[in-house]
Amino acid sequence: MTRFIRLSRVVSAGFAMFSMFFGAGNVVFPLVVGQVALEKTPLAILGFLLTAVCVPFMGLLAMLFFEGNYRLFFRQLGDTPGLCIAGFIMLLIGPFGALPRCIALSFSTFKSSFPDLSLFWFSLVATGLVFLSTFRKSRIVDILGALLTPFLLLNLLVIVLAGFFLHPSPSSPLSSLTHKQVFLFGLEQGYNTMDLLGSFFFSSLVCSSLKQNTSSQAIFFNHALWASVLGAVLLAFVYIGFGAIGSLHGLSSVASEELLGWIAFNTLGSYAGLVASSTVALACLTTAIALASAFTDFVQVELLKEKISYSTALFFTLGMSLGMSTLGFSGLGFWLGPILEWLYPVLICLTLFTLWRCYLGAKKRSLLIQAESI
């Protein structure tokens, strides 16, 4: 019975990790990879998986050595520089980047079914739902893992299977890009998911949940590692499926944020709009919950030293996100892209450096233990 309980907690945490990562960019960019790469999609998806799955997984692994404490992770760079970099990343994944992007993409998909929908009022309702799901921090992982993720995975599976088997589109033209170009394109689109940035902060939510009933450090690390593996595998399967249906059905004339709705309509018919809309809305909601919680915690604890309540900080976080979401998905991506191109390599180097330091430290401790036992 105890083993079953541990397994269920690991699976729930893995589902939560998947749902926290799988937001707006994770819906759009694998489809865009297939849309552009066409018959060379497998090579492009390989590049995409490197930056959208392997790199964030390395970030999660590095954070496990700090038990999800991003303050200690960035303190490697010094107290002030570490706080500044963490704050800058928080702004990007919070109210000035990923969070409003989730709302904007959800709106774009719903608008295909409801043309008269207002962006402002849609964003207002969306931020209200995020607030209701987030103001009780202790329930976040339970909500994501146990309630939202299974329904999200079912919706994604329906769309991927429909893309393969229902009303396939005519054969697509061949890609004009070289093999090197499509691989690099996949790498670049993986940057745009912003998942490495999120891994530094999402890990604290899952780690705190797994620590509650864990008797030892070794068991905690083992559970967190397997939960991370499960989340990474789920992401990889969805990306491969979305890349494939993007290459089969993605027309170059369709805007990136409208691709999922168009593919669903092309395969499922009149009910496609509701299926696609609910899927994107659910994916965006699960990620927005994690983003809002992480940014609010940073502002309340690190910047304001708990001078205001968590609920008040959350209210202002979502208010800023509401304003930024009115720029739309493309407008937000226009200024995020160049920032991510130079920021991602820097953070990858920091992650690799951290993993190497932790490996050397573990090896040194092992040698000392062996020496003492002789």
Side-chain angles (χ1 to χ4, degrees), residues 11 75 85 100 230 240 285 304 307 315 338 355 358:
V11 171
R75 197 171 292 168
I85 292 177
L230 176 60
I240 292 170
L285 176 62
L304 300 181
K307 293 179 180 178
F315 178 82
L355 290 173
C358 293

Side-chain angles (χ1 to χ4, degrees), residues 124-322:
L124 185 62
V125 172
T127 51
L129 289 174
V130 172
F131 181 86
L132 292 176
S133 301
T134 313
F135 78 99
R136 291 184 62 186
K137 290 178 63 177
S138 61
R139 297 289 297 165
I140 290 174
V141 172
D142 292 336
I143 291 172
L144 293 179
L147 300 179
L148 296 180
T149 305
F151 183 62
L152 170 59
L153 286 171
L154 179 61
N155 269 321
L156 295 174
L157 180 63
V158 168
I159 291 180
V160 170
L161 292 178
F164 275 113
F165 299 112
L166 297 181
H167 310 295
S169 60
S171 58
S172 302
L174 298 179
S175 174
S176 60
L177 300 178
T178 66
H179 288 85
K180 178 181 178 180
Q181 287 174 328
V182 296
F183 179 76
L184 293 177
F185 180 76
L187 283 175
E188 180 184 349
Q189 295 305 305
Y191 284 170
N192 291 332
T193 64
M194 303 176 68
D195 281 350
L196 176 60
L197 279 63
S199 68
F200 299 132
F201 303 98
F202 291 164
S203 57
S204 62
L205 292 173
V206 178
C207 286
S208 62
S209 175
L210 289 174
K211 274 192 230 177
Q212 290 177 2
N213 299 308
T214 302
S215 58
S216 70
Q217 181 70 18
I219 293 176
F220 158 74
F221 189 88
N222 182 268
H223 287 182
L225 179 62
W226 282 111
S228 301
V229 170
L230 176 60
V233 169
L234 289 173
L235 280 174
F237 275 118
V238 172
Y239 291 155
I240 292 170
F242 269 36
I245 63 173
S247 66
L248 291 173
H249 299 273
L251 297 180
S252 59
S253 58
V254 181
S256 60
E257 63 268 30
E258 299 173 4
L259 266 175
L260 183 65
W262 190 92
I263 292 173
F265 179 82
N266 193 40
T267 56
L268 298 176
S270 58
Y271 295 102
L274 292 178
V275 174
S277 298
S278 63
T279 300
V280 173
L282 195 58
C284 293
L285 176 62
T286 54
T287 300
I289 289 170
L291 293 171
S293 176
F295 182 81
T296 301
D297 183 70
F298 179 81
V299 170
Q300 186 210 14
V301 176
E302 293 296 322
L303 298 185
L304 300 181
K305 307 300 181 183
E306 300 186 7
K307 293 179 180 178
I308 63 174
S309 67
Y310 177 83
S311 297
T312 302
L314 177 62
F315 178 82
F316 283 107
T317 296
L318 294 175
M320 291 185 288
S321 302
L322 172 63

Side-chain angles (χ1 to χ4, degrees), residues 95-102 104 324-337:
F96 292 99
L99 206 166
R101 191 172 70 173
C102 289
M324 290 296 296
S325 67
T326 59
L327 294 176
F329 185 87
S330 300
L332 289 165
F334 179 77
W335 74 275
L336 280 174

